[in-house]
Amino acid sequence: MKKQWLVRAFSDALTVASSTSFTRPFCSAISSFPVKKVTKINFDSALEALRSHVRDADFVSVDLEMTGVTSAPWRDSFQFDRFDIRYLKVKDSAEKFAVVQFGVCPFRWDSSKESFIAHPYNFYVFPRKELPADGPSYEFLCQTTSMDFLAKYQFDFNACIHEGISYLSRGQEAEALKRLNLAYEDEVVNSGGHLKEVRDIPLVSMSDVLFTERMKNIFAKWRNGLLHNRDGWSQFEGDSNDKKKFQTIFFKMRPALALNGFTSHQLRLIQLVTRKHFKDLAYVRVNGEKSSEQKLVVYTESKDDKDLLVKEVKDGFRKEAEVKIKAAVGFRHVIDLLSSEKKLIIGHNCFLDVAHIYSKFLGPLPSTVEEFVSSVHKNFPYIIDTKQLLNTDNILQHRMKKKGTSLSSAFALLCPQIASASLNSGLASQLCVKVEVQVDDLRSSNWNSGAKHEAGYDAFMTGSVFVQACSHLGIDFKRHSPSTGLAHNEKLQKHINLLYLSWNNGAIIDLSSGNKITESSGTQLYKKRYPKIVFSKIVLVWGFPSKFKARELRECVSKVFGMDSVISIYCLDETAAFIQFSKEEFVSDFLILKESLDRNNDPISVLHPLSKLLEGGNTCATSYEVYREICSSPISRVLFADQAEAVGIKWKTKVVESREEVETQELESREELESTTKESGTVNSILDPPPKSGTGKRGDVISDPSYHNFSCDEIMDALYVAESQLGDRTRTTNV
Amino acid sequence: MVAQFLQRRLFCSSSNIPQWSVKQVTKSNFSEALKEIRNHIRDADFIAVSLQKTGAFSAPWRRVLPLDTAETAYCKAKDAAERFQVLQFAVCPFTIGASKVVAYPYNFHLFPRDELSIGMPSYSFSCQTSYLTSMAQEGFDFNVCIYDGISYLSRVQESTAKDRIANPIPSTHLMKSSSTPSVADAVFMERIKSRVRHWRKRCKDSSKGTDDALINSLRKLIVGSEVYGSRPCMSIDVCSERQVHLALEMLTEFSDDLVPLIIPDKGGPPKAVRVVLTSSAEDKNLLVRELESLDEEQNKRVRGFREVIDAISASQKPVVSYNCLNDFTFIHSKFLAPLPLRMDEFMCSLRLVFPHIIDVNHLLKEIGPLRKATNLPSAISYLKRRFFVPLDMEIPHQAQGNESKNHGHNVLRITYLFAKLSSVLKITPHTIQTMNDHLTAVLEGYTNILNPCSTSIQETIDEEAGVWMDNTRKVSTKDLVFLWGFKAGMSSGVLKSLLRGSHDVFSEDFEVRLVDKSCAIVVFWRPGLAEVLCGVMGSGTSVSSVLREMISEGLRVAGYEAYKRVCGSDFWEVDLADSFDNALAEPPHEFLAADSGKESSEIYLSSDFVINLDDL
């Protein structure tokens, strides 16, 4: 279920069905025509159609398919990830993987039909390199399991790679234009200046000298012919070889010689000859038909005329290059459209999707979540996440009967008449808002593409879920049509611009303010209580002997610090784990003890219970801050221990001073938390400020009343979560 | 991609070889193809290989360049091999007779699917867009590859996987334990012996008895009896390797009709020994055979395509390739083991698996002027023009119906080229065999891997390419410096003219070439000048105003040692200049610092080497 968002299915049979012979414009029976498939072949026309659909739309739902989600198992989202780390993980994912399919589905309310009209589009996207010599984004990562998963649902990789629509981000476009301008200015400057385009080649070989001489003669004859005698060129007629190589044509109203069949070296010599010996001849390169380059020697009347010609040619090049850059913008036109129309965007668990949109089509992702969020908000002022909507609203929770909120189960529950494609679902269908689908000339109100989980269809499902959710929230489309602005509807204000930063522990971020909230309703996936996570009480350990699992770790550490010293153990992967202590001071105690055991090799150290953990001599330990450093590295090794090594960590034990800014950030979020706590009671996870200094002072015990209240069961639960998370490698975030 | 297109065109026009048919292998016909190719490998004189990858380099300067030493070339090739993925692996066992080559080309489609759900062979891999695009233009079918590609595990992965996939391991051979059993051992043995005896007796009895099903199943429940296939079996829990050993020992002494199976635990020592009761000696043999074939099936599933690599390795036949360094770093990292840090370790490790590797590129150099042929098709056409070598290529495969999906022709080009070269150079399978005895000759075969220039960087073809002027000069790496921080977009010519006269060291002849758009290399033909320049730039004294201005604008310099460090580091940027800045900001890496010493290597620089920046 968790992987379904990566799914894409495309049935050949359905492609056949879409052919025009199968036109049933207003059929009431179950129809199964495919979502509109857009590749580079029909992109321009589809974009035009989409423009008008988006303009008229009340909201637009989107969905993305990528080549992968996590670049290493430990890059998955975990309980023990702080807000900043969660963003770093999303950032890593969006930067490394490619978007291969982009679903866009505008929804418009038709008051005459009392129904929404949806226009699902399925864009195949591929970051083809359209411009020469460009940046680093032309390499992308594929997660093997994700690719395999796409394959299982018959994702058409050929369509994607052969015909996918390419794109340039705004940043890339600006960069390309800047480079073009630079090159243009340089050329303009250089053409008159001392830096010559062609280096003087010393004519060393005899053949070069002879060739140059011959060319000089030919050009002189040709020019004289032009000046004195209209038929001057006829002298050449005899030599069929020369006739083929020199062809008199007109170029920009001037007589010119087109040069054919010369080597680049010879062309260089020709260029030198024209410049040295003929004031009124200009050597130019132009792009002829079929984009083949043509070399010309053009006769000009004066120096001014020559400069004018050169400028004309250069402007021509520049124009052409600009057109090319504009064309290379490609799929980003769709994003620009969504952004400029300021429509309400609907996604399902879409934080990662938004990050992908940002990094692919706007520019490089900012380093902090705050900057990211404010920049997103400027470009997309209204975003609603249906998963957030379904999970936090009590009415909808009731309606959902507390079932899972994955896209497909929400769709099945809220849109039964579409999902089951049956007309007689009785009461349920009457409650539902009607949604009619239109793809080209095909229309249906009971539409089932049979291609669930392709981006276009997923976008449609997301939009349909949103429509039904609105109706359950009491928004009556029939009474006041949504044209007044769904984004401003007061019933949706509680949900607008709130996205799950991480679904699995309910971390929510408000795009409009940058506030971070931990979901507080009791309706979360985890209904049990877990020890709250206090980052200052956490030690990160890695590189320990492979036989160590959570249980062994706990036993080993408990032997030294006491039975109830360890609140929970959380395994990142088989090489690394977090240990949360009951007291902050244990963190420094642990690190100091470990360091001294590492240093000393005497029998007492060897027999120390903690030595078992240090066997192999590769065990490293540190406080929580280093985790952030390791996550922010662009490197991704599969195992965490290898990652730490690759990142360049050479020490074995380190206590890191916590940085002030992080501290304040956490304090703020805590305030936020407390306010939500008052409202609704239970809090699943509370963020405490990190210690002022990692080497916590002895005796200065920060009392934490929660830690000794945990029963054995709760600790076991925590362990269970740790283990289950570890096993669940291929999971994705759009649950 | 233009180059590839031209390759194809050149190739078609230059050799009138009829439509060659390469057998395409996917998951569905792998088993049968494996059987066939094993036989062909056994009968072959040589085996040609050719790989289709998802990419080759992540930044222009990450290509193997003429300025690379063997060690830096290896670093680059290693990085590419770890980053990218092999999608097609073409293998062609062939024999060379008198003017006739008999070839059996196979093209295996690969995909690193996680068949066993253990996160192997590859968690993720990179794709270079331009590579995929040009593959698409050649008609590559990505769907076939990703849907039906054959998976694999490397040798090292297989041994780790063995622990993780809990499959019963039949224990047929058992070594007598040397140590004397302790009291605990004796107790353990007695206990399980009585359990087994009891169980066996029950099984024998019940097989005769006519009890109804309920009683039978109740009895099974009480005795702890299970069923393995149709045969009764029981499990003995063990908690150490020692106990496994004891149990096996006891069982062999106990009775002939018992077959023990070791049940491994995930990632730990075995957790149980399962005992299967057979009804007779024939039945026992049958079970043992069954288990063996099961094991083989399992191996096939685990090793996948690596069975082909193992078959090539086991045959000890010479392997012919066009781009040895790149291909064999891929082969090593995907099918053998993770690549070692240093080139010599890599060579050792590779030599153990493939004792004879022949680089066609290296052979081309033996033929003198031909050495400048820049790619396979141009080499073939050049050879055709220069030497008259009548050669028949016979491919006994039946032509396949679907010719449009016929990939992997490069392996046939390699075969063809090698056959021609070997006839020119008088290499026969026999001489290769005798070469075995001459270590030097064998090493000679390896030098091609060491020779980074063999990976032709000048794949781009313009009008004059194909054969280029021979004017390479030997340069010591000590006489090379890297310059960066000059004005963006500056050409090497402009840079050279700026440098000339800016300092005494530039008064003599020197060369400037761009390595990528951000960084240039300066070659001094007189020793010692490089050091002087580095010193001068460092101190900032006694420099001309031109140079001072350039330095103030950010011009920086570094010697070859820094380049080595950059190549070996995990942290590098798309622009070489940024990589240098990063590397110089950090203290020298211990490994390389220790290694670099004072020795310098020599590289061969062609005076007209130009690095095409648009080729990424």
Side-chain angles (χ1 to χ4, degrees):
Chain A
M1 161 188 108
K2 287 170 171 178
K3 285 189 262 185
Q4 277 172 350
W5 73 306
L6 269 176
V7 174
R8 182 241 174 263
F10 187 80
S11 145
D12 286 12
L14 289 170
T15 325
V16 175
S18 79
S19 64
T20 42
S21 64
F22 185 76
T23 312
R24 286 191 290 171
F26 293 97
C27 63
S28 53
I30 307 143
S31 321
S32 57
F33 47 85
V35 173
K36 174 96 176 162
K37 173 185 174 182
V38 189
T39 63
K40 65 177 178 187
I41 294 156
N42 60 344
F43 177 64
D44 290 336
S45 63
L47 180 62
E48 280 322 302
L50 182 70
R51 271 187 208 285
S52 66
H53 288 149
V54 168
R55 209 168 291 132
D56 300 340
D58 295 302
F59 67 90
V60 181
S61 56
V62 297
D63 187 77
L64 277 66
E65 308 292 331
M66 303 85 155
T67 57
V69 178
T70 52
S71 58
W74 59 268
R75 291 255 192 206
D76 213 333
S77 150
F78 292 126
Q79 286 285 120
F80 268 50
D81 293 344
R82 214 166 48 194
F83 275 118
D84 53 339
I85 282 164
R86 260 170 224 138
Y87 173 69
L88 287 177
K89 286 183 170 180
V90 168
K91 178 170 176 276
D92 175 78
S93 174
E95 281 166 348
K96 287 195 173 121
F97 296 102
V99 171
V100 285
Q101 213 175 48
F102 201 115
V104 180
C105 187
F107 280 73
R108 175 176 61 86
W109 175 254
D110 186 331
S111 44
S112 64
K113 284 188 181 147
E114 300 200 329
S115 150
F116 270 101
I117 315 281
H119 302 271
Y121 287 81
N122 196 32
F123 292 90
Y124 279 85
V125 179
F126 186 72
R128 199 173 296 103
K129 192 182 167 172
E130 301 277 10
L131 299 174
D134 228 336
S137 65
Y138 293 100
E139 193 180 313
F140 62 87
L141 205 61
C142 298
Q143 196 179 340
T144 315
T145 45
S146 301
M147 296 297 274
D148 201 27
F149 200 80
L150 288 169
K152 258 183 212 139
Y153 290 88
Q154 273 87 49
F155 181 91
D156 192 343
F157 293 98
N158 286 340
C160 176
I161 299 167
H162 290 238
E163 298 162 15
I165 308 148
S166 191
Y167 57 82
L168 284 186
S169 76
R170 287 182 191 167
Q172 284 167 323
E173 187 194 4
E175 175 71 18
L177 286 172
K178 201 179 102 195
R179 221 182 3 244
L180 178 68
N181 283 337
L182 260 177
Y184 178 77
E185 278 157 28
D186 269 9
E187 271 200 37
V188 169
V189 169
N190 290 350
S191 62
H194 59 283
L195 295 171
K196 288 159 193 151
E197 285 172 276
V198 180
R199 274 181 295 156
D200 282 348
I201 315 165
L203 299 178
V204 275
S205 75
M206 187 48 93
S207 62
D208 283 358
V209 175
L210 289 176
F211 179 82
T212 309
E213 231 14 70
R214 201 165 77 86
M215 288 301 124
K216 209 162 95 184
N217 288 336
I218 287 172
F219 292 143
K221 263 188 205 162
W222 177 71
R223 195 189 57 152
N224 291 338
L226 285 175
L227 288 175
H228 305 301
N229 176 7
R230 286 272 147 216
D231 306 318
W233 189 241
S234 57
Q235 305 163 42
F236 267 71
E237 297 287 323
D239 193 335
S240 64
N241 192 28
D242 276 350
K243 204 175 143 194
K244 228 187 279 169
K245 285 187 160 185
F246 302 95
Q247 215 181 345
T248 306
I249 57 163
F250 277 88
F251 178 71
K252 294 197 189 288
M253 314 289 285
R254 298 172 185 92
L257 271 185
L259 310 171
N260 301 311
F262 291 98
T263 66
S264 55
H265 178 67
Q266 288 172 332
L267 286 171
R268 246 182 334 251
L269 292 174
I270 291 174
Q271 205 176 340
L272 279 176
V273 168
T274 50
R275 200 173 55 225
K276 267 189 180 167
H277 303 285
F278 301 95
K279 288 253 175 327
D280 47 5
L281 293 188
Y283 175 92
V284 294
R285 292 174 296 123
V286 290
N287 285 337
E289 291 140 51
K290 291 176 239 154
S291 74
S292 64
E293 209 180 48
Q294 209 177 10
K295 279 92 179 175
L296 303 171
V297 172
V298 188
Y299 172 78
T300 56
E301 280 165 355
S302 61
K303 191 178 177 308
D304 288 349
D305 189 35
K306 188 172 163 182
D307 289 346
L308 190 71
L309 173 76
V310 169
K311 195 175 174 313
E312 262 178 54
V313 169
K314 273 175 187 161
D315 285 347
F317 268 110
R318 185 193 164 100
K319 253 246 148 56
E320 239 170 72
E322 269 173 1
V323 169
K324 258 188 210 160
I325 291 172
K326 284 278 170 266
V329 165
F331 183 75
R332 205 197 78 219
H333 285 305
V334 175
I335 303 301
D336 285 346
L337 174 67
L338 294 181
S339 172
S340 64
E341 291 288 333
K342 302 221 179 300
K343 292 288 173 183
L344 173 63
I345 309 276
I346 309 295
H348 190 81
N349 202 10
C350 60
F351 190 75
L352 182 64
D353 292 357
V354 173
H356 267 287
I357 291 173
Y358 194 101
S359 96
K360 303 289 181 298
F361 309 115
L362 302 183
L365 285 167
S367 56
T368 68
V369 69
E370 290 79 11
E371 285 172 71
F372 168 71
V373 157
S374 80
S375 185
V376 166
H377 189 61
K378 269 180 216 137
N379 285 289
F380 303 101
Y382 315 108
I383 302 180
I384 288 182
D385 187 336
T386 44
K387 191 167 186 83
Q388 196 274 344
L389 186 67
L390 295 178
N391 270 298
T392 49
D393 192 277
N394 290 331
I395 307 165
L396 290 171
Q397 267 304 312
H398 180 70
R399 171 69 203 162
M400 293 289 293
K401 300 173 188 109
K402 311 219 167 184
K403 292 208 174 140
T405 49
S406 78
L407 181 55
S408 53
S409 64
F411 185 66
L413 254 162
L414 292 176
C415 319
Q417 88 285 23
I418 310 172
S420 61
S422 62
L423 286 169
N424 44 3
S425 39
L427 194 69
S429 72
Q430 280 165 23
L431 285 172
C432 280
V433 182
K434 274 204 296 182
V435 178
E436 201 172 294
V437 179
Q438 187 175 357
V439 174
D440 295 333
D441 292 332
L442 301 165
R443 271 193 177 203
S444 166
S445 52
N446 294 88
W447 180 65
N448 192 338
S449 82
K452 260 182 198 175
H453 312 308
E454 82 190 321
Y457 189 74
D458 277 5
F460 165 73
M461 289 205 293
T462 306
S464 303
V465 165
F466 175 69
V467 166
Q468 309 307 335
C470 284
S471 133
H472 289 299
L473 287 176
I475 298 171
D476 189 350
F477 298 110
K478 288 172 195 166
R479 267 199 296 146
H480 29 80
S481 80
S483 57
T484 47
L486 262 179
H488 300 289
N489 192 303
E490 59 181 40
K491 293 197 167 90
L492 288 172
Q493 290 314 301
K494 268 200 300 189
H495 303 286
I496 200 147
N497 289 329
L498 294 184
L499 301 190
Y500 277 114
L501 191 51
S502 152
W503 151 245
N504 70 352
N505 64 346
I508 289 173
I509 188 146
D510 185 343
L511 295 181
S512 48
S513 66
N515 286 341
K516 284 151 276 182
I517 311 149
T518 297
E519 186 176 58
S520 50
S521 79
T523 54
Q524 246 212 46
L525 200 63
Y526 306 108
K527 300 217 167 60
K528 296 171 192 155
R529 279 187 64 223
Y530 290 108
K532 69 175 186 182
I533 295 158
V534 185
F535 297 109
S536 59
K537 294 179 185 170
I538 290 174
V539 176
L540 172 58
V541 191
W542 71 88
F544 43 79
S546 60
K547 63 175 188 236
F548 269 87
K549 305 275 179 287
R551 190 163 51 95
E552 288 82 0
L553 263 171
R554 173 184 290 272
E555 273 170 16
C556 181
V557 177
S558 301
K559 266 185 209 159
V560 184
F561 294 93
M563 279 318 286
D564 54 358
S565 59
V566 178
I567 298 290
S568 52
I569 304 275
Y570 196 98
C571 289
L572 258 178
D573 69 4
E574 66 230 58
T575 65
F578 289 114
I579 302 170
Q580 181 171 354
F581 286 105
S582 56
K583 292 179 191 157
E584 215 168 278
E585 71 208 47
F586 284 149
V587 170
S588 51
D589 289 355
F590 176 86
L591 294 176
I592 291 163
L593 175 63
K594 182 193 168 285
E595 197 179 18
S596 77
L597 288 176
D598 270 337
R599 229 185 5 251
N600 303 322
N601 212 11
D602 52 88
I604 298 165
S605 305
V606 174
L607 289 174
H608 196 280
L610 202 61
S611 298
K612 266 170 76 183
L613 182 64
L614 311 181
E615 267 170 36
N618 295 318
T619 308
C620 301
T622 179
S623 52
Y624 195 83
E625 279 308 309
V626 174
Y627 183 42
R628 184 196 146 87
E629 187 191 316
I630 292 171
C631 284
S632 64
S633 165
I635 296 173
S636 270
R637 295 278 187 268
V638 173
L639 295 178
F640 188 84
D642 296 342
Q643 169 80 8
E645 200 190 332
V647 166
I649 288 173
K650 294 182 187 80
W651 40 260
K652 284 201 179 155
T653 312
K654 190 174 183 184
V655 183
V656 173
E657 304 273 321
S658 67
R659 292 172 310 141
E660 283 298 311
E661 44 182 312
V662 175
E663 196 172 328
T664 48
Q665 175 198 326
E666 295 304 332
L667 280 167
E668 275 165 21
S669 64
R670 189 184 189 187
E671 278 162 22
E672 186 66 47
L673 271 170
E674 278 163 357
S675 63
T676 46
T677 318
K678 276 169 209 148
E679 278 168 30
S680 42
T682 14
V683 176
N684 285 309
S685 152
I686 288 183
L687 306 172
D688 268 11
K692 292 233 164 1
S693 135
T695 46
K697 292 154 223 131
R698 278 178 174 278
D700 182 15
V701 182
I702 299 165
S703 65
D704 178 1
S706 64
Y707 78 84
H708 39 76
N709 291 342
F710 289 108
S711 69
C712 189
D713 283 352
E714 283 165 330
I715 292 162
M716 289 314 286
D717 283 344
L719 279 172
Y720 168 74
V721 171
E723 277 167 14
S724 68
Q725 298 251 358
L726 190 65
D728 195 1
R729 284 268 171 76
T730 55
R731 184 167 41 112
T732 65
T733 52
N734 269 51
V735 182
Chain B
M1 95 199 167
V2 176
Q4 270 157 341
F5 175 70
L6 280 172
Q7 261 180 31
R8 163 173 286 197
R9 204 193 62 194
L10 262 170
F11 183 66
C12 293
S13 56
S14 67
S15 52
N16 48 356
I17 297 150
Q19 179 64 47
W20 282 342
S21 150
V22 179
K23 186 154 197 165
Q24 306 296 312
V25 187
T26 59
K27 247 183 355 191
S28 52
N29 61 342
F30 178 58
S31 295
E32 126 205 17
L34 182 62
K35 262 184 221 137
E36 281 173 34
I37 202 169
R38 278 203 171 118
N39 293 333
H40 295 316
I41 288 172
R42 195 191 54 225
D43 300 336
D45 296 328
F46 300 96
I47 298 148
V49 297
S50 158
L51 280 65
Q52 177 71 268
K53 304 145 192 161
T54 60
F57 47 83
S58 303
W61 70 273
R62 296 295 296 182
R63 280 174 293 181
V64 176
L65 302 170
L67 57 92
D68 279 313
T69 62
E71 198 64 51
T72 56
Y74 172 70
C75 286
K76 289 177 174 181
K78 171 175 179 281
D79 181 58
E82 285 165 351
R83 185 176 289 263
F84 300 108
Q85 181 59 42
V86 182
L87 290 185
Q88 284 185 349
F89 198 118
V91 181
C92 179
F94 62 98
T95 52
I96 300 183
S99 75
K100 188 176 169 190
V101 177
V102 183
Y104 299 89
Y106 288 82
N107 188 37
F108 294 88
H109 294 251
L110 306 184
F111 187 73
R113 203 173 301 102
D114 190 356
E115 297 274 15
L116 307 160
S117 306
I118 47 171
M120 288 196 268
S122 161
Y123 186 81
S124 63
F125 58 88
S126 261
C127 295
Q128 207 178 326
T129 332
S130 55
Y131 251 64
L132 297 192
T133 313
S134 68
M135 279 158 82
Q137 272 159 0
E138 288 184 359
F140 191 95
D141 192 332
F142 293 93
N143 288 348
V144 166
C145 189
I146 301 170
Y147 295 7
D148 296 323
I150 308 153
S151 193
Y152 58 86
L153 285 187
S154 76
R155 289 186 178 179
V156 167
Q157 283 173 331
E158 184 189 346
S159 63
T160 25
K162 275 264 147 92
D163 303 336
R164 292 218 216 155
I165 22 175
N167 219 44
I169 303 162
S171 68
T172 35
H173 30 267
L174 173 70
M175 306 235 278
K176 275 272 171 198
S177 88
S178 49
S179 60
T180 47
S182 68
V183 180
D185 290 346
V187 171
F188 173 75
M189 279 181 85
E190 267 320 302
R191 188 167 57 81
I192 58 167
K193 196 181 246 173
S194 77
R195 261 191 74 200
V196 171
R197 185 185 299 122
H198 191 64
W199 162 75
R200 184 166 171 269
K201 190 162 159 288
R202 280 299 176 91
C203 287
K204 295 267 173 190
D205 289 351
S206 67
S207 62
K208 280 174 225 144
T210 51
D211 298 335
D212 65 318
L214 180 68
I215 307 233
N216 261 338
S217 59
L218 277 176
R219 178 175 291 137
K220 271 178 192 164
L221 212 65
I222 294 158
V223 184
S225 174
E226 301 153 46
V227 181
Y228 185 83
S230 57
R231 300 176 185 88
C233 79
M234 71 169 289
S235 289
I236 305 167
D237 289 333
V238 291
C239 49
S240 69
E241 292 281 358
R242 170 84 185 147
Q243 288 195 345
V244 173
H245 202 88
L246 291 171
L248 295 181
E249 210 168 281
M250 185 277 296
L251 287 171
T252 35
E253 283 166 17
F254 188 75
S255 166
D256 278 342
D257 51 7
L258 298 177
V259 177
L261 290 170
I262 300 165
I263 311 297
D265 193 10
K266 287 200 176 205
K271 66 173 178 199
V273 173
R274 186 169 289 168
V275 192
V276 184
L277 180 67
T278 56
S279 54
S280 62
E282 298 93 77
D283 189 40
K284 185 180 176 181
N285 279 337
L286 197 70
L287 177 65
V288 169
R289 268 202 304 278
E290 237 171 63
L291 288 170
E292 273 167 4
S293 76
L294 205 71
D295 195 42
E296 204 170 297
E297 271 308 299
Q298 170 77 4
N299 278 341
K300 202 177 276 170
R301 220 158 62 86
V302 170
R303 291 177 196 155
F305 172 73
R306 209 196 76 227
E307 296 270 15
V308 177
I309 301 291
D310 284 350
I312 296 173
S313 167
S315 75
Q316 301 279 298
K317 300 270 162 74
V319 182
V320 182
S321 142
Y322 182 70
N323 214 337
C324 273
L325 180 68
N326 285 349
D327 283 359
F328 280 90
T329 43
F330 266 92
I331 290 172
H332 193 287
S333 102
K334 307 292 177 210
F335 308 117
L336 305 177
L339 287 164
L341 271 176
R342 296 173 50 103
M343 175 135 191
D344 43 3
E345 293 169 53
F346 163 70
M347 302 279 282
C348 278
S349 162
L350 192 61
R351 202 169 302 165
L352 289 175
V353 183
F354 302 104
H356 318 290
I357 296 171
I358 302 167
D359 194 329
V360 178
N361 234 340
H362 182 71
L363 289 183
L364 280 170
K365 291 191 169 101
E366 302 278 308
I367 307 196
L370 184 66
R371 56 193 291 197
K372 294 305 180 189
T374 50
N375 59 37
L376 267 176
S378 65
I380 289 176
S381 65
Y382 189 82
L383 209 62
K384 245 187 141 58
R385 285 203 301 275
R386 267 200 55 143
F387 300 95
F388 175 70
V389 188
L391 190 70
D392 261 346
M393 191 99 156
E394 187 189 319
I395 298 164
H397 279 329
Q398 288 163 336
Q400 280 174 315
N402 198 354
E403 288 297 330
S404 63
K405 296 281 163 64
N406 205 342
H407 299 292
H409 277 133
N410 256 345
V411 80
L412 278 171
R413 294 192 183 107
I414 293 169
T415 304
Y416 186 78
L417 186 59
F418 176 76
K420 288 219 158 196
L421 282 168
S422 61
S423 112
V424 173
L425 294 168
K426 307 275 177 291
I427 302 171
T428 64
H430 183 68
T431 56
I432 294 281
Q433 292 306 313
T434 54
M435 262 163 65
N436 292 0
D437 309 327
H438 303 291
L439 190 64
T440 47
V442 176
L443 281 176
E444 170 85 314
Y446 274 102
T447 50
N448 40 45
I449 302 178
L450 272 162
N451 185 351
C453 297
S454 67
T455 51
S456 46
I457 65 143
Q458 299 205 311
E459 286 280 4
T460 52
I461 298 176
D462 65 5
E463 295 96 309
E464 300 124 299
V467 177
W468 79 79
M469 308 281 282
D470 184 359
N471 43 9
T472 49
R473 281 173 78 171
K474 200 193 250 184
V475 196
S476 164
T477 53
K478 274 184 185 170
D479 298 324
L480 301 173
V481 293
F482 292 84
L483 281 179
W484 68 98
F486 45 82
K487 197 174 145 233
M490 200 180 265
S491 72
S492 56
V494 173
L495 187 61
K496 188 174 177 179
S497 61
L498 277 176
L499 289 174
R500 185 179 286 137
S502 68
H503 192 271
D504 288 345
V505 293
F506 294 118
S507 56
E508 284 178 50
D509 195 23
F510 65 99
E511 280 299 325
V512 179
R513 290 286 182 270
L514 288 181
V515 182
D516 69 359
K517 64 179 193 300
S518 70
C519 183
I521 185 168
V522 179
V523 185
F524 290 104
W525 300 117
R526 191 157 75 84
L529 292 181
E531 272 173 74
V532 176
L533 179 66
C534 289
V536 164
M537 296 265 297
S539 65
T541 52
S542 69
V543 292
S544 71
S545 59
V546 181
L547 196 56
R548 182 171 296 132
E549 198 188 315
M550 286 175 81
I551 293 170
S552 72
E553 278 171 4
L555 188 73
R556 298 192 69 186
V557 69
Y560 207 85
E561 285 311 315
Y563 179 65
K564 275 192 193 168
R565 216 194 307 160
V566 164
C567 288
S569 159
D570 281 327
F571 292 98
W572 50 263
E573 306 280 335
V574 174
D575 284 345
L576 183 53
D578 296 339
S579 313
F580 268 124
D581 281 336
N582 285 353
L584 296 187
E586 272 186 31
H589 194 285
E590 289 146 43
F591 156 70
L592 273 168
D595 168 59
S596 59
K598 272 146 211 107
E599 88 208 72
S600 75
S601 349
E602 275 158 349
I603 56 172
Y604 293 85
L605 270 186
S606 163
S607 66
D608 55 8
F609 93 82
V610 180
I611 297 151
N612 188 352
L613 299 184
D614 296 338
D615 203 28
L616 187 67

